[in-house]
Amino acid sequence: MAFYILKRCLLMIPTLFGVMVITFVITQFVPGGPVEKMIAEIEGVAAGGEVGGGAAGGLYRGDSGLDSDKIEQLRRLYGFDRPPLERFLTMMGNYLVFDFGSSYYHHRSVVELVVSRLPVSMSLGLWSFFIVYGVCIPLGIKKAVRDGSRFDLISSAVILIGYAIPGFVLGVVLIVLFGGGSFWAIFPLRGLVSDNWAELSPAMQVLDYLWHMVLPITASAVGSLAVMTMLTKNSFLEEIRKQYVLTARAKGLSENQVLYKHVFRNGIIPIITGFPGYFIASFFTGSLLIETIFSLDGMGLLAYQSVLNRDYPVVLGTLYFFTIIGLVSRLLSDLSYVVVDPRISFAAIDD
C-alpha cells in the first residue's frame, strides 16, 4: 500500500500543474483584467464618476485617457510588465511555500481573507455534512429493510420533492414563511450571530448561533438528503438480496444480526468511501446563492467576487489550495475502502 500511496502522490503533481496552467491561461488573457479595470475606475473618477463604455475595452480613451507612463506603472504594479511564462513560474514558486500574495480588490493577504471567510463556509458545510450522514444512513437502511412498504413510498415521495426544489428557492420560501417575510418572524434573516452576541452568556451565544443557522442549513442540506438516502437504500437492498444473506438466515441468525453483522459491512462501502472527501470539502466549500440570500459572507461569495473583479491572486491561490485538498481527499476516499473492507487490497495495483 505504501507504494500505491507514493504513486498517487506523485500523480498529483502533474494534475495540479495542469489545473494551474489552464486556469492561468484563462485568467491572464481574458479581456477586462485588473489593469483595464483600474484604468476604467480612474477614468471614471476623472470624468465625474461616469465610466465610458470603451474604458474597460482599451488602455487609452481620448483626452480623458491615462498617459502611457501611468499605464506602465499600473502594469508594473500588477506584474503584467513581465512575460506570462515568467509570471507563471514566479507564481508557482511562491505557491510551493504557500505564499499566495495579496488581493487586488480587498487589499489583504489571500490567506487572511480566506481565514476570515471560513467560519461561514464551515458552519454551512459541517452542519450539512452531519445532518446528511446522520439522517440518510439510518433512513436509507430502514427503507431498504421495508422496501415497498407504505413507509418506503411516503418517505421516497417526501425526499424527492425536497430534491426537486433548488436550495436557493427553498431558502426564499423559508424566509417568506419563517423569517418575517409575510408570515411568522421566528428565525433571523442575516449573519451567523446577532449584533449583541459578545454580550451574551456562553450558553446563549451557542443558542444564538444555532438559531441563525437553522434556515440556511435547512436550505443547504435538503437537496443532498435524497441522493444519499437513495444511494444507501439501493446499496443495502442489493446486499439483502444476495445469497449469503439467505445462508445467514438459514443458520438461525436474527434479522438484526444479519443486517448489522453481515449486510452492513458490505452495504456501507459505497457510502463510506465518499465520507473523507465530503467531510474535508465541507470545511471550505461555500454556496453563493445560499450565502447571498441569508447575507452570509463566506467562500462562495468570495469566489464570485474574485472572478467578477478579476482578483487573480484570490482566484489562483484558492484554486491551488483547494485542488490539493481535493486530490488528498480523493486519495483518502480510495484508502477508506481498505478500512471498511479488509478484503480489499492494493497489492495487485502496487505490483
Side-chain angles (χ1 to χ4, degrees):
M1 183 185 293
F3 180 73
Y4 174 80
I5 296 175
L6 177 62
K7 183 167 64 175
R8 286 290 299 271
C9 291
L10 292 176
L11 287 174
M12 292 179 186
I13 298 175
T15 303
L16 177 63
F17 184 80
V19 170
M20 296 307 299
V21 167
I22 294 174
T23 309
F24 180 84
V25 171
I26 294 174
T27 57
Q28 297 295 310
F29 296 101
V30 294
V35 175
E36 289 82 359
K37 184 176 178 62
M38 180 60 69
I39 291 174
E41 292 179 357
I42 294 175
E43 291 179 349
V45 172
E50 296 183 0
V51 180
L59 299 181
Y60 182 77
R61 187 167 60 86
D63 294 336
S64 62
L66 296 179
D67 58 59
S68 58
D69 292 337
K70 294 294 185 181
I71 294 175
E72 189 60 29
Q73 289 179 8
L74 289 175
R75 292 179 61 85
R76 285 197 300 269
L77 175 65
Y78 291 111
F80 285 90
D81 59 321
R82 297 176 295 166
L85 180 60
E86 180 183 347
R87 298 202 308 270
F88 177 76
L89 294 178
T90 301
M91 179 191 75
M92 292 302 295
N94 293 333
Y95 284 5
L96 288 176
V97 294
F98 293 97
D99 178 11
F100 300 122
S102 299
S103 166
Y104 295 157
Y105 181 73
H106 298 277
H107 306 293
R108 300 166 60 186
S109 70
V110 174
V111 174
E112 180 184 351
L113 191 60
V114 170
V115 169
S116 68
R117 304 295 182 94
L118 277 181
V120 172
S121 298
M122 290 175 62
S123 296
L124 288 174
L126 285 177
W127 281 114
S128 299
F129 169 83
F130 289 125
I131 290 174
V132 168
Y133 272 87
V135 172
C136 293
I137 292 179
L139 179 59
I141 294 175
K142 189 171 183 179
K143 285 173 63 62
V145 172
R146 301 180 60 180
D147 180 47
S149 66
R150 179 179 297 181
F151 168 80
D152 180 38
L153 296 176
I154 295 176
S155 59
S156 295
V158 172
I159 62 175
L160 289 177
I161 291 173
Y163 177 73
I165 302 175
F168 68 92
V169 174
L170 180 60
V172 173
V173 172
L174 292 175
I175 289 177
V176 172
L177 291 178
F178 305 109
S182 299
F183 295 91
W184 304 283
I186 300 176
F187 297 100
L189 295 179
R190 56 179 297 124
L192 287 177
V193 293
S194 301
D195 294 335
N196 63 336
W197 186 80
E199 303 172 2
L200 301 176
S201 64
M204 292 302 298
Q205 287 179 342
V206 173
L207 291 176
D208 182 74
Y209 163 75
L210 294 176
W211 204 242
H212 279 74
M213 286 289 97
V214 170
L215 295 186
I217 290 174
T218 301
S220 177
V222 166
S224 302
L225 290 175
V227 176
M228 190 63 65
T229 300
M230 299 309 295
L231 177 62
T232 304
K233 176 193 172 181
N234 293 334
S235 177
F236 276 81
L237 191 60
E238 181 181 359
E239 294 297 324
I240 290 174
R241 293 171 176 173
K242 289 185 176 180
Q243 185 64 41
Y244 73 88
V245 175
L246 297 177
T247 303
R249 287 171 177 168
K251 291 181 178 180
L253 297 179
S254 66
E255 287 298 320
N256 284 338
Q257 287 178 318
V258 172
L259 181 62
Y260 294 106
K261 186 177 180 180
H262 297 280
V263 176
F264 187 85
R265 183 177 60 181
N266 298 317
I268 200 66
I269 291 177
I271 291 84
I272 206 66
T273 51
F275 186 95
Y278 192 6
F279 180 74
I280 294 176
S282 65
F283 283 88
F284 306 104
T285 55
S287 173
L288 169 63
L289 295 175
I290 298 297
E291 292 174 10
T292 302
I293 291 171
F294 294 99
S295 300
L296 300 173
D297 202 6
M299 292 299 300
L301 192 59
L302 175 64
Y304 174 74
Q305 291 174 341
S306 301
V307 173
L308 196 65
N309 293 300
R310 303 295 194 269
D311 199 350
Y312 296 154
V314 177
V315 173
L316 294 169
T318 54
L319 177 68
Y320 176 85
F321 179 70
F322 293 153
T323 301
I324 293 177
I325 295 296
L327 293 172
V328 172
S329 63
R330 177 63 63 180
L331 175 59
L332 294 177
S333 296
D334 293 342
L335 296 178
S336 63
Y337 276 102
V338 179
V339 177
V340 176
D341 191 351
R343 296 173 299 177
I344 299 175
S345 174
F346 293 109
I349 300 178
D350 294 343
D351 295 337

